[in-house]
Structures are given as structure tokens and as C-alpha cells.
Amino acid sequence: MRLFTKVTFGLFLILYAMLGSLAFGQASNTIQGRVIDATTQEPIAGATVAVIGGEIRSSSDAEGRFSLTGVPNNARLRVSYIGYDNKEVIAQSGNMTISMSASTNALEDVVVIGYGSVKRKDVTTAIASVSLEDINERPIVNAAQAIQGRAAGVTVTQPSGAPGGGTAIRIRGTTSFNGSNNPTYVVDGVPVDNIDFLAPTDIADMQILKDASSAAIYGSMGANGVVLITTKKGRVGDAKIGLNLQTTQNKITSKIDPLNTAQYKELMDEIGLVDLPVNLTDQTDWFNEAFRKGVTQNYQVSVSDGTDKLKYFLSGGYLNEKGILNTAFFRRYSFRANIENDIRKWLTVNANFSYTDNNRNGVSEGLGANRGGTVLSVINTPTYAPIWDPYEPNRYFNQFYGINNITSPLENMARSKNNRDRENRLLAAGSAVVKFMPELQFRTSFAFDRRNGLNTQFLDPYSTAWGRENRGLAFDGRNMNTVLTFDNVLTFNKSFNQHNLEAMVGSSWVSSDYTNSYINASHFRDDIIQTLNAANKIIWDNTGSGASDWATMSYFSRLSYNYDGKYLVTANFRGDGSSKLSPENRWKYFPSFSAAWRLSSEEFMKDVSWINDLKIRGGWGKTGNQSGIGDYSYLMQYNIRRIEWWLENQQNALATISPANLRTRDLTWETTTQTNIGLDFTAFQQRLTVNMDYYYKYTTDMLTYISLPEGQSFANTIRRNEAEMSNRGFEVNVNSKNLVGDFKWNTNFNISFNKNRLEHLDFQQIYDAARTSDVVNANVVRNTPGRSMSNFYGYISDGVDPETGELKYRDLNNDGRLSVSDRTFIGDPNPKFTYGLTNDLSYKGFNLSLFIQGSQGNDIFNASRMETEGMYDGKNQTTAVLQRWRVPGQITEVPKANFNMLNSTYFVEDGSYLRLKNVSLSYNIKSEVLSRAGINKLQPFVSATNLFTLTKYKGFDPEVNQWGNNGAIQGIDWGTYPQSKSFVVGLSMEF
């Protein structure tokens, strides 16, 4: 016992001495200081100050101040902040001042590429980076809007200004006829078909792979380019809470005046279809009744934190957009969680969750006023008409003195006011990165993308003429789509001496399962119960369900080598197999190759000190496309027709089937081959950066739907690899830092030229499409070899005949009469070039951004004027017809009432425009009071979008297309929902 006591006491003394010496050697200190900008001496808020090799860390407040406790003697601190070079200093007692220099070496920035990343200076392909610096201050609803005008070679349009309206994106032109022309979106490594679910403020980085040598790693998904999006992650430092609040007022950009009652009656007397009373007066301004000032509310909150082991980012948002037409709206609830955990030095796991709930109600557009088209009915409805029927309360007025094809805009909106299109989407992905050694790592990931859609419609049986005719209508449609993605990638990186090598191999499996059901009903007693259980009739031949599935399997590889940063070579190879295509042609292989020579690293360039980087690059590759066709496209499919089972002798009848198409046994991939030559130039201490590219794209085996001659087969359509198309173009991107110091001025300019041409068609040589006005009843678009896509086709108008008042149409074949043989190509909706210009100015907390965007050389077929200036029936017209021909000898540009209206150059207009797309002004408030309150950032801002537009176009808006994202039809305006002018007030906070 005594021995045990002695030993224990001795051990205690030794342990005490060790701990005492350790405590003495690691005496802790409290370090305080301030982080500032080395140039402006302004404080830097949110900088991370960490003890190297330890867990002690802090973040600077709004005044740049920080405090660290328990810092060992002679410890080294690492200070980091986005946009600044990292700095290491020795901890000192008392107050420290740490000056940080803004990062000027953009060439060292890391750029995300397919299944990996690379330094910008080592890029050998055409990749565009989209600036997101002002994304919090712009009224962006769809993340794709952030791209518009920001990247050379990328054309972004909003075919409709409806709330939640999508965008049409073309990367280096149209490449597909019936297939999709949308790029592939890859969000945090997961391919998705659209990014409507993504809150723009959650985006940290956006890269666009434009040429085949960069996109070929995605093979069958890369023909239309690839947009890589990385969302925000947690960072090491103190926990941060971010708030972004926006309120936006929207109003229509322009107004088109209709005829008043007296002018309308005079026109009707000339047409002679209706005899109006003489005592009619103006009662309703339909423009003011239909249009309103829309309001958008957008609230986003985020929380992020991180340690050396665990980092997380959480965000939630609410968006409510009320359109400029009374019943239109779009609402979105969103939630995102990104988690990264370094479980071991050799193992890192990531989890990304995104949930979105979208709900919208649009209005009928792209239709004539008599078919429910709201925009055109604003003009077409006579101003003498009241809103409500004076003799039938709660019924919209529709007694237009025998004219049956007029419906007021309020009645048209009422037909769809109870419609709801809702989708909730859950995207969950998990990944693990295993580092076998510093040079070798393996990444495996699994993603689950579940979309549930619900579309409900209800039309009461009383207020509208269509509702009364059907005694109320209702629809319930539901669908569910599940996409699973399983990727495995093995990457090897090794540098030895001046040699740098990267090798990557991987596989990707994607599976999709889709189901839907739909029910149509009619005959409702009233509008109190709007669900289908209150309907007396379930429409038996328009109710059912469906299902389909598809899958792809892919293998890919990449080999990159560079010698001393001078000579860079990259090769990609991918093989894809798709269940949509014929088994004999299911697999396709997509190789690519790119190389670059950095001249600025050569000995003969070392004396040219004003050039920071000069690189010539070139690439070639193939990409594929199988989107836009059905899940079983190579198979024969059938139409199902139900038999009236309630009729006599048909009680046990079975549905009949008939072929819907012919089978295509040799259906295969649509393939695009692209060659790219580029130049990257950086000079004057990286204050000027220029990127130039020339490309040539050639698409073969284009997927098309062919109509067979009647009587040639039991089915009259077939899917085929039918056509060939080319795109060639030149694009330039220029970034300049015009002024540095207290007053900063940065400019970004990009311009893109593209020439599209349909080169060849195998079977059907002419594809006509896009019928316009019912009275004309003729297609206005013709696609045929030798022309660019979507050219307008019709008659050439040579003005108004002074003697007859008719439009004169040119007799092209000189046979003395007007016939279909006199039609020709009358317009091209493809722009000669598009451009964007951004100027960012800042001074002591003030930030001003001006963004100009435009298109030049494109035509628009203004089919709306057929309805508003056609003067062929009882619909009201615009004041433009006041200049119409009335007496022989009159010289005017407007023909007489009831003229012979045809698809002609009379309706083709110059669609070029220059638009001040956005102006935003913000101020970063800094004060001791905010610092003590823990507020690192308090930035109010104001912004204006679509402030003014310079254009010759006579319609509401030149950025339109009735057919949306259709590759074969572009540039037609027929009652399309116009874009709005927006004014934003907002606040961005971080604490």
C-alpha cells in the first residue's frame, strides 16, 4: 500500500510538471485586430481569421474587427476572403491591422468542367463564366435569366412575359429540328432538364460549356451545350445568417390604342357586317381593366457555417409574382441544404437536398381574341361594351349586335382564373469522395429527382359564354416523374518536374419512370364545389392514364496533359446507350480533342511585360441528342379509341387500336460535330481580358417527324433521322478594369455572330408550319434546304394601290395573276448578332451597375396586326387603321377596310432592339452601431429592369415568340404576353 502511494505520488508530480510546462509553453493570448483593403483602406467584413493548425477562428465584423482568444504564442494566422489573396501573419499582442490585396490573378481561378475542375489558365476549350455579382439586386425569377446578355455565343430570350415564364436558350444557334434545343443543366453534378426549381440567390458559380471539345464529356446530353451550376456551400468561420428582401412593381412597357366607339362605328359601316346604333358611347377602357401594376415579393434567408470537418449551407425562399394581367401569378417556395463532412482524411461525404413547390396561373396567349386570347381581346373588344351584362347579373357582356367572335379580355381571363398548375420537386443527391492517395481519388454519387405535377381547371357554368355552353367544365391532371442518376468517377492527378497529367474514367446510369392520369368533367350545378365529384358528367373519351420509362447507360474518360503550362492537350471519349433508340443503333460514341499553346510562357515573350497571358487553343468533337422524341420512338405506337358501350349490342365492346406511326428500325442518335478555334488574351496587369472564338457546327441525322402522303400507308407519320444543319459563328468577350482605386469602373462586353443553315433533307423537302389568323388560314414558316431555320414565307407587298385601296402583291412568276406560286421567303427571325454590355462602378460603399442587352438583324412576323389591323370582321382595331385608304387617289400605307389579307411582308417588321435591361444602385452601410449589433452587411438597393427599349417594332415587345422554345418556328408574335418594366426596392443583410 505504501509502495502504491509512493508510485502514485511520483506519477502525479511528473504529470503536473508535464502539464505545467505544456501550459507555460502554450500560454494563451487574446488577439484583436482589424482587416482592411490594402488599396482603399476600407474595412473588410466577413473575412475569416484562423489559427493555422488549430480550431480557433473568427470572422471580421462590419468594421473589419475580429477577436481571438486562447491563441498560443508565436502562432500563425491565416486570413481569407473571397476576391482577395489569402494572407498569413504571425499573431501579435495588442491590436493588429491586416491589409489584404484584392485578387488580381484571375488566371488562377478554378473553373468547373465536366466531372472535374481546372485552373482558368489551363482551359483548352470554349467555356464562358457568368458573372453573378449583382444577382441579388435584380428581379430574377428564373435562374436562366441570369445568363441573358452575359456570355458570348449564348442567346437567351423570354418568349413570354407571363409570371414564371420560361426562357429559350440557344448556345451557338439552333441545332435540332424536332428535338430539344435546350442546353443540359448540371446542378452540383446532377443533370436536370430545367432549372425552374433553383432559387437564383443559391447559385455560387455558373459555367457554360459551349464547344464540343468541352461538352463531349456529356456525350448524348451535350449537343446544345452544357450549363454547369454550383450552389453555395458552407465555409469555415463563424456562422452567418443572410437575408435578401425584394419588392418589385411591374407595369407594361408600352400601350397600343384601340379605336373609340365613334371611330369603330365608322369602320363597321365601311365593312358592312353589322349595323350599330348611333347612340353608342365609350363605356370601358379595356386596357385599364385588363392590365394592372403587378407586384413581386421575393424573400430569401440562408444560414451557413463550417469547421475543418463539417460545413453546411441552408436556405429557404418565398417568391410571389403577380402579373400585369389581373389573374396571372406565380408562387414558389424553396428550400436547400448542402452539407459536406470530412469524416476521415481519406473520406469526404456530401449531401444536397432541394425542395421546391411551384404554383402558377397564366392567361391564354398566342390565340385570337375569339379563342380566348387575352392580349388581343384588349384591343378587339369594342369600347362601347360594358363589363357585365346589364340584364343578366354576374354574366359578362357578350351581346355585340350579332357579332359572335368577340369575347372581352375579362371574360377570357375568367375562363382561366381558377386554373392551377402546381409542381413540387424533390432533388436529393449524396456523394462520397475516397482519396486512396493524394494523386488518386474515387467519387461515387447517387441522385433522386422526383417531380409531382397537379393541373386543375374549373370554369363555372354561369359567368362566361363557354361555361354556359358546356354547363361548367373541370379538369384534373396528375403526373409523377422519377429520375435516378448513379455516377462513378475515378480521377488520377500527378505532377512531376514540368509535366502535369490528369486521367479520369467513369460511368453514369440514368433511369426515368413517368406516370400520369387525367379526368375531364362537365355539367356543374354552380361554382361552390369545384372538384370533380360535383360534376354530373365524366367525359368518357377524354379520361385515362398513361406510363412510360427510359434509361441510358454511359461510359466516359478524359486524359489531360500539359508541359510547363505551355503546351496543353485534352482528349475526351464517351459512349452512350439509350432505350429510346433502335437496339441495332442504340450505342453511339462521342470523342473530342482540344489543345492550347500558351505563347506568353515562351522565352521569346518574356520581354513583353505588358502581356500577362496569351493563349491559342483549338478543339474538335462530337456530341449527341436524343431529347424531344418519345420514350419508345423506334417502335410502332397505336391510337386507342373507346367504343360507346352504352349503345345497343355494344355493352361488352372493347376499345379499338390503330397504328399511329410507322416503325423506324434504324432510328439513331442526332449527332453534332463541332470545330472551334480560340484566342485568350490578358494584359496590363490583368486589367484587360479578351476571349475570341470561331466555330463551325454540323448536325447530322437530325430527328424529325415526317408526314407521309395520304393513302400511302395505314399510318401517316414516321420518325426519322432526316436532316442536316450547320451553324458557324464568331464571338468576342472583353473584360476591362477601366479604373482602380477608390473609384472602380469595370466593363464587360460580349458580341456573338451566328449563321444558321438547313443543309439537307432526305425525304420531305419542305416543312411548312405556323398558321396565323383564321381568315388567312395559311402557314407562314417554311423550312427547306439552303435556308436558315424558321424563315417566313408568303407574298411580297408593294404597298397600297391608290385607286382600289387593296394591298398590291408582287406577281413573281409574271403570269398576270396572283397565285400560291408567287409566294417567296419574306423574312428571317434569326439575328445577325446579339450583344450585351455591363458597366459596374463603385465608390466607398456605393455600387452602380448598368446592363444593356440587344439583338440586331432579326425579323418578327407580327401576326397580332392581322387581328388588330386586318379590318375583316366586327372586332375592334387599333388607331393605326385611321390612316386606311377610303377614296380613289388617296396615298397611304394602310389598305382599305376588308382588304385581301395574306401572309406577306406587310406584317414583317424589324425585330432589332437595344434594351437597358437593368440598372441597380446599392450602398453598403457600415457603422460601429451595426458592428456592435453583429451585423456584418447591411446593403439597401434599388433596381429597374427593362427601363427603356429602342426598337422599330410596333408590337408590345420585340422579345417574343408565340411558339416558345420550338426550334422550327421562331419570331412570331400573335397575342403574346408582353414583358414588363420592373422597379425593385430591396435589402441584403448578413449577420
Side-chain angles (χ1 to χ4, degrees), residues 764-782:
Q764 184 175 330
Q765 295 301 304
I766 294 174
Y767 285 82
D768 288 336
R771 288 186 180 271
T772 53
S773 173
D774 292 343
V775 69
V776 175
N777 195 29
N779 292 310
V780 73
V781 168
R782 171 163 290 188

Side-chain angles (χ1 to χ4, degrees), residues 285-292 324-326 374 378 409-410 413:
D285 185 330
W286 294 107
F287 190 94
N288 290 337
E289 294 293 338
F291 288 98
R292 65 178 177 184
I324 55 177
L325 284 168
N326 278 328
T374 301
V378 170
L410 298 190
M413 285 190 285

Side-chain angles (χ1 to χ4, degrees), residues 90 595 673 685 880 934:
I90 297 175
T673 304
Q685 281 89 42

Side-chain angles (χ1 to χ4, degrees), residues 437-442 490-496 501-505 558-560:
M437 58 182 70
E439 300 86 2
L440 183 65
Q441 73 174 31
F442 173 72
L490 183 67
T491 305
F492 175 79
N493 280 284
K494 182 67 175 179
S495 297
F496 46 96
L501 178 69
E502 183 209 54
M504 181 270 288
V505 294
R558 177 171 57 229
L559 182 64
S560 298

Side-chain angles (χ1 to χ4, degrees), residues 4 50 142 407 498 618 623 672 683 737 772 806 883 968 970:
F4 176 78
N142 187 312
T407 308
Q498 295 173 313
T623 50
T672 298
K737 298 178 181 179
T772 53
E806 286 284 357
Q883 305 302 318
Q970 302 173 51

Side-chain angles (χ1 to χ4, degrees), residues 438-495:
E439 300 86 2
L440 183 65
Q441 73 174 31
F442 173 72
R443 183 180 189 273
T444 183
S445 63
F446 183 81
F448 172 89
D449 187 1
R450 168 68 60 81
R451 300 169 64 178
N452 283 290
L454 171 63
N455 180 267
T456 59
Q457 301 174 17
F458 177 80
L459 177 59
D460 72 83
Y462 186 79
S463 64
T464 68
W466 185 245
R468 292 192 296 274
E469 183 177 335
N470 292 276
R471 300 189 179 182
L473 289 169
F475 170 80
D476 188 300
R478 301 166 188 254
N479 64 79
M480 182 175 69
N481 190 35
T482 303
V483 179
L484 305 177
T485 305
F486 183 42
D487 289 350
N488 292 279
V489 181
L490 183 67
T491 305
F492 175 79
N493 280 284
K494 182 67 175 179
S495 297

Side-chain angles (χ1 to χ4, degrees), residues 803-823:
E803 298 305 318
T804 66
E806 286 284 357
L807 270 185
K808 294 183 292 184
Y809 297 109
R810 194 173 300 176
D811 180 12
L812 292 181
N813 61 6
N814 295 314
D815 64 355
R817 62 189 184 90
L818 187 68
S819 67
V820 293
S821 300
D822 295 313
R823 292 180 300 168

